[in-house]
Amino acid sequence: MPTKIRKFVGTICLIILLMSSPLFTRQRGNLAFGEKRIIVDNQVAAEKPPETGREQPKMNTRRIEWEKLKLDDGAYESAGVFDVNNDGKLDIVCGGFWYEAPHWKKHKVRDVMPADEYYDDFSTIPMDVNGDGFTDFITGGWWGKTLQWVENPGGKPLEWRTHAIDTVGSIETTRAWDVDGDGDVEIVPNTPGNPLRVYKLNKTTRKFEKYVITEEPQGHGLGFGDIMGNGKGCFVTPTGWWEPLGDPLTGEYKFHQEFQLGSASVPILVVDVNGDGINELVVGQAHGYGLDYYTQRLNADGTRTWTKHPIDPWFSQYHDMVWADIDNDGYCEIVTGNRFRAHCGHEAGETDIVGLWYFKWNGESFTKCVIDYGKKGEHSGTGIFFQVIDIDGDGRLDIVAPGKEGLFLFKNLGPEKAGA
């Protein structure tokens, strides 16, 4: 049974003033490119596309209350949420174990290879790979250099089998995006020193088919979304973006070398943060200080100029993030935090302080709202692969946050009601 640490009002809002941000005169986009499932590209899908050009509704100024539960002290950095045993309840899978809803009873999944302070398990992407009606998951790690799927034993109390998909090189983490627009996600590992590849599950053979987007090394950081505003998905890397010239899986891509994003987050979000109808890039520094967004301007020669705007330059290890409507006001926020000891204490900012926040667009800049903050042990960051999902079916998005500091569940209780 998890230990309930406390029920608390978890959003202390700190205004971060930014420059050159347009006033909030249009509705901010909610549905990011290619979203067909609950969470795709770390973006929570809306039920329908938002209206544009209508009057901006009154902003929700109530703080959000959270119930925090620590489920485990384990140091796994990736967690997924899906119905493991087909009982209609969403369970949590994290590293070598899964936690059965609603009381989070712990069950063995498999042994995961340890490496120094890490475990070689940097994603937990749910997918029924073998078509047996039980959800498996996709993972991979830095040391094993292998993209894998882990087989659900059909709800039986057995250890899960691990199957190799492909040897791809060291995997920073992996994401799922609907690259070809057919309604099903493809698997895209971020392998910094290796080519950009996409893996699509063939539903007839139940095997993964590999498509090489480019032989060029990816670099640290990867995103996917509509850069050009024409509905075509582009891959975003730390030094530029890849434009599809034909079929998104088999066709050629053109590279636009237009920026330097540093040791970027996975994902790099491609979303419209300010309601101007043009997607921006939201980039965290995964191994250094800073969280920023970049606006684009189309030049006469067809190139783009990108302008950097700081969101939070004072915290570090922003490795993972989700674009989601955390407060149910119809507008998405950036949900993120730090990856504790991302490089085992060898980088600036890698102290014993962890934090989990959402950043809300206020019309001119972002407001930082604190969900959790403090020393490791009783507080949480995001790990390398966290989840924002309505885990209990109450209509509010909750947060499942793994990491070397432990596995936490933050249940969204909605706006505080004091003085209502």
Side-chain angles (χ1 to χ4, degrees), residues 283-295:
V283 185
Q285 289 305 304
H287 297 287
Y289 275 86
L291 175 66
D292 307 280
Y293 76 97
Y294 292 75
T295 53

Side-chain angles (χ1 to χ4, degrees), residues 333-352:
E333 290 78 42
I334 304 165
V335 186
T336 187
N338 67 319
R339 180 189 178 195
F340 175 59
R341 290 183 68 81
H343 275 171
C344 304
H346 299 301
E347 295 172 338
E350 287 196 291
T351 69
D352 61 353

Side-chain angles (χ1 to χ4, degrees), residues 298-326:
L298 183 62
N299 303 317
D301 62 358
T303 62
R304 283 168 168 77
T305 299
W306 298 82
T307 303
K308 178 180 177 180
H309 308 267
I311 299 174
D312 183 9
W314 299 289
F315 216 81
S316 64
Q317 277 71 43
Y318 281 113
H319 209 294
D320 191 9
M321 63 185 70
V322 175
W323 179 246
D325 182 6
I326 203 72

Side-chain angles (χ1 to χ4, degrees), residues 64 143 206 218 403:
I64 303 300
W143 295 270
R206 312 310 298 190
Q218 297 179 38

Side-chain angles (χ1 to χ4, degrees), residues 16 34 98 123 191 226 229 259 313 328 335 344 356 366 404 417:
I16 304 173
W98 70 277
S123 67
T191 50
D226 185 358
F259 40 69
N328 270 357
V335 186
C344 304
L356 181 63
F366 279 96
K404 296 185 181 76
K417 298 178 175 59

Side-chain angles (χ1 to χ4, degrees), residues 124-151:
T124 314
I125 300 170
M127 179 179 287
D128 183 2
V129 176
N130 56 9
D132 66 352
F134 286 85
T135 303
D136 316 297
F137 67 90
I138 310 296
T139 188
W142 188 263
W143 295 270
K145 302 182 179 182
T146 304
L147 189 64
Q148 304 168 329
W149 71 278
V150 183
E151 183 180 357

